[in-house]
Amino acid sequence: VDSFGRVTFVEGGHVEAIAPGQSIELRSGESVVVSSSCVIRHLPPRGFLCPGFVDTHTHAPQFSFAGTGYDLQLLEWLETYTFPSEAKFKDLKYAARICHKAVGRTLRHGTTSCLYFATVHTDAAVQLGRIASSLGQRAFVGKVNMDRNAPNFYRESTSESLAETERFVTCMLADAKREGVPEGFAEDGTCSIYASLGPPAQPVITPRFVPTCSSELMKGLGAIAARHNLLVTSHVSENLAEVEWVRSLHPTEDSYATCYDTPGLLTSRTILAHGIYLREDERRLLKQRGTSISHCPMSNSMLRSGMLNVRRLLDEGVSVSLGTDVSGGASPSMLTAIREAIKVSNLLSLIEAESNGSSWKPLSSTEAFFLATAAGARTLGVDSLTGDFSVDSLFDALIIDPDASGSPIDLTDEDDATAAFGKWLTLGDDRNISEVFVQGRAVLS
């Protein structure tokens, strides 16, 4: 890995001693000199490197009530728990405390890149990006937009929402140019100035979902996204009552998906969470636009929203990645998201059939791991962020120690590397993550 955090070569089978200043003969015949400043890392005895996880959908402010509130389904849950909790982010000190915990916890679970919903509060959203960068995580942050069908205490006017989104984007892009300043945090935990350990956070255009955003607001957000070539994220077809509500709000639109397409928000830079009840014409439209779906299986189960048929989306050419969707999902762990995705896929293979009558093929553990790494990385559109260790890719990585203290994994003498990886994927947790790297830099150990 070079000083810019990019993979320069990957080659196994070497048994010679390596030290700074020595050269390595590659199988290609090329000779690589190990620089005198090079740091050589030795993995644990049965440890291995793993690409960092990419979480393409979660809500930082909702970490404050994660693990509670699963007595209601989506729409009632938003009114009862989510909106009152998110409204507290008007207080930057409170917001800073929650964001520190959210970013720290996702990093501890191996998430090197994360797409966060913030709240409607511009300054709190900018602060979330700064906190993530200061802790070393590659973050994508959305200031939430809502100008209708939300409580008076947590709703913007259309003009205010658009103006504040412009201010949010301006602040975030300015931070990216500065790449942080070495001043740290204020004593109260707020982060108006910061020292950057990780890449600068990127702004994301974030209409919460169609029911809370007027057509005028959606059109304005589409224009901002296009002007700055920004990622767009939102929710779609998560819950049956939600789908019916959208139909009643927009009777002249062909579908839920076209409510995003009409204002220019359905693009190859768009990541929509859920998509459980997308019709065939909507899925075809997503493929045409290059829009991807973030599958959030735990949230879909905990809020009794439904089960997404990921296999069908993949077979139809729609891009899919994974999200934890805290706090609809109770866990910030992408390992848990992988396991939940496999469970949902297994269940769907029992109760749904393809048009030819055969059962849907369940996701394999390899496919689910791909959704949590490389698939997510590709949807974010960052140069050289591939979610793997290919040459010239950004080195976002985890060192996994199956034999770590307190490990839930039991390895036998007969277990090879493949078995160790499989057991970790099925049984492992944050105790097995001994170190986290983002763009070549150790950010957690």
Side-chain angles (χ1 to χ4, degrees), residues 2 4 9 22 31 43 101 117 175 178 189 213 228 232 262 270 288 293 308 326 413 417:
D2 64 20
F4 297 102
F9 68 91
Q22 292 184 343
S31 179
L43 299 181
K101 292 178 180 178
F117 274 59
D175 278 357
R178 285 194 298 267
C213 297
H228 297 284
V232 174
T262 299
T270 301
Q288 291 170 352
I293 290 292
L308 175 65
V326 173
D413 292 340

Side-chain angles (χ1 to χ4, degrees), residues 59-65 85-86 89 94 98-99 102 117-119 128:
H59 297 256
Q62 294 179 22
F63 276 69
S64 63
F65 65 98
S85 179
E86 291 189 3
F89 263 48
Y94 173 82
I98 301 304
C99 290
F117 274 59
T119 64
L128 169 58

Side-chain angles (χ1 to χ4, degrees), residues 310-329:
V310 174
R311 176 64 66 196
R312 179 169 59 196
L313 286 173
L314 295 176
D315 285 354
E316 292 177 350
V318 178
S319 171
V320 181
S321 57
L322 281 185
T324 57
D325 195 19
V326 173
S327 98

Side-chain angles (χ1 to χ4, degrees), residues 7 12 20 78 110 161 173 178 188 196 245 253 262-263 266 282 295 300 323 340 343 360 378 380 384 398 404 414:
V7 176
L78 288 170
S161 187
L173 294 180
R178 285 194 298 267
D188 61 12
S196 175
W245 191 12
E253 285 286 357
T262 299
L266 205 65
E282 293 180 284
H295 177 35
N300 295 341
E340 293 295 314
K343 290 177 188 176
W360 289 101
R378 293 172 186 178
L380 295 175
S384 301
L398 315 176
E414 291 77 26

